[in-house]
Amino acid sequence: HDGRWPQILPVEESLGGEEGLRELIKKAEEYGYEVTCHTNSSDAYSIANNFRLGDMIQLRDGNVNINGTHWAGGRTYNVCPKKAYDISMETLPAVADLGFRGMHYIDVITCVPPRECNSPVHPLNKREGSEYFMNIFKECKKMFGAIGSEGPFDHTMRECDSALYISFSDFAAPIAENEIMDERAPLWQLVYHGIVFSNPYTRTVNVLTETEKDGLLKTIEYGGRPQLYFYASFVNKKGGNWIGKGDLYCHNDEEREYSAKITKETEDIYSELSYLQYEFMEDHEKISDGVFKTTYSDGSYVIVDYNEKTYKLVRG
């Protein structure tokens, strides 16, 4: 995971290579599924065969911009957005040619602040940096159909169709005394619902794998699109996994059966609510302690009761 960007091809031979991947995509389409993949246009690792140090962001002091996070490829470099666009236009058409269609996913871009580059060869300010990333999104829509990324930053939402999650915080955690808010509210969703698909929190992934319903209820209260994530616990940090509390696996028949069951149950719940994704979120109010009402532009509303662990949809 995250081991060789910006190199994407060739397809890993131990997984069947390009021929096997094309067959997999074709078979999935025969069953009615859209298949897309995960790529990255902002990170780079020196192990890549197309890694060029001169493509990385140059800081004002002349040093190369290095990310503090290490992934499977080792030290993570931040690519200049202008060079990221050039690289993406070289690599992503070949990815689309494999047959991927639907909501293509590019990691990181929507969960980082605007980036500038001080290279004398390819300088750009933060506004220009955002524009280059949005140009990548525009081209992806032409190639794949739609584009999603990781987080909620405003400067990237103009061309984004889906945000994997809006907040890293724990929605169930008590609000600290020194925080500048009294209660949590879906401010982002009141702006962007009906324009960008979203899931409200990292913890509201795989909600039906948890024993309590608060994650599901929070997803419904905030108008989220439920997200299922296999092997979410690929990163184990102190205090638990950062993507949800539950996980899905497919090592054996028992795990595959359980994962299919959770997927079907999630789809059944979402099928009743999915039409609301085409509506704006007009209002969100607290009716009483633990009870919230979310109203949409077609007149529909949802009441979520955390005391009784229930929700009620009233169609407009």
Side-chain angles (χ1 to χ4, degrees):
H1 192 281
D2 286 329
R4 204 172 285 269
W5 307 123
Q7 181 182 345
I8 295 177
L9 299 174
V11 180
E12 174 58 48
E13 287 297 333
S14 66
L15 299 177
E18 182 175 323
E19 182 180 353
L21 179 57
R22 289 182 182 276
E23 291 178 1
L24 173 67
I25 294 171
K26 184 178 179 181
K27 177 60 68 174
E29 288 178 341
E30 291 174 358
Y31 285 119
Y33 292 98
E34 291 181 335
V35 182
T36 56
C37 66
H38 169 153
T39 61
N40 189 314
S41 294
S42 59
D43 296 351
Y45 304 87
S46 59
I47 194 174
N49 65 5
N50 58 345
F51 178 85
R52 295 181 292 268
L53 195 63
D55 292 342
M56 304 304 114
I57 289 175
Q58 185 171 316
L59 302 173
R60 295 183 183 185
D61 62 6
N63 290 318
V64 172
N65 190 325
I66 299 174
N67 196 305
T69 303
H70 290 69
W71 290 105
R75 172 177 287 175
T76 307
Y77 294 82
N78 291 325
V79 186
C80 169
K82 182 180 187 303
K83 301 307 295 183
Y85 176 81
D86 294 340
I87 295 168
S88 296
M89 294 307 99
E90 293 172 1
T91 56
L92 289 179
V95 176
D97 182 67
L98 293 169
F100 291 114
R101 292 295 181 274
M103 187 79 73
H104 184 67
Y105 180 87
I106 298 181
D107 212 11
V108 181
I109 287 177
T110 60
C111 70
V112 295
R115 291 175 170 176
E116 66 180 20
C117 181
N118 297 278
S119 167
V121 181
H122 44 83
L124 48 82
N125 60 36
K126 291 180 179 181
R127 177 181 291 276
E128 292 168 332
S130 294
E131 287 298 324
Y132 274 110
F133 278 139
M134 291 306 92
N135 287 337
I136 294 174
F137 280 10
K138 285 181 183 179
E139 294 302 318
C140 281
K141 290 181 182 182
K142 297 175 185 177
M143 287 185 268
F144 301 99
I147 183 66
S149 191
E150 188 169 1
F153 270 89
D154 286 339
H155 70 101
T156 60
M157 287 300 107
R158 189 186 72 224
E159 300 296 339
C160 187
D161 298 309
S162 177
L164 179 58
Y165 39 70
I166 304 308
S167 174
F168 281 83
S169 66
D170 185 348
F171 66 85
I175 297 175
E177 292 183 6
N178 63 346
E179 291 194 46
I180 60 173
M181 62 180 177
D182 298 313
E183 293 186 10
R184 297 180 178 91
L187 177 61
W188 189 94
Q189 288 80 1
L190 284 162
V191 175
Y192 287 112
H193 190 282
I195 303 171
V196 183
F197 288 121
S198 68
N199 193 284
Y201 292 89
T202 52
R203 188 181 154 187
T204 53
V205 172
N206 293 341
V207 290
L208 290 186
T209 62
E210 300 180 24
T211 56
E212 43 86 12
K213 291 186 177 180
D214 283 3
L216 171 64
L217 295 178
K218 185 59 64 175
T219 304
I220 294 172
E221 179 195 351
Y222 280 37
R225 182 179 65 158
Q227 198 81 35
L228 297 169
Y229 208 122
F230 281 68
Y231 301 96
S233 57
F234 70 95
V235 176
N236 292 313
K237 295 186 177 181
K238 186 176 181 180
N241 184 45
W242 65 290
I243 301 183
K245 285 188 173 181
D247 213 341
L248 298 173
Y249 305 98
C250 56
H251 279 114
N252 52 50
D253 289 343
E254 183 179 0
E255 289 178 350
R256 286 190 286 271
E257 183 176 351
Y258 173 75
S259 297
K261 173 178 174 292
I262 292 296
T263 301
K264 181 63 169 65
E265 290 176 356
T266 304
E267 194 276 335
D268 287 343
I269 292 172
Y270 184 57
S271 63
E272 180 187 27
L273 300 163
S274 60
Y275 77 98
L276 294 174
Q277 295 297 333
Y278 297 95
E279 305 295 333
F280 295 119
M281 185 183 289
E282 296 288 354
D283 193 24
H284 175 270
E285 57 186 317
K286 182 178 180 180
I287 298 176
S288 60
D289 287 343
V291 182
F292 299 87
K293 180 182 179 182
T294 306
T295 304
Y296 294 89
S297 52
D298 71 337
S300 297
Y301 63 88
V302 179
I303 296 177
V304 173
D305 187 334
Y306 289 93
N307 305 308
E308 299 296 329
K309 308 296 184 187
T310 60
Y311 70 93
K312 177 183 178 181
L313 168 65
V314 177
R315 290 178 173 266

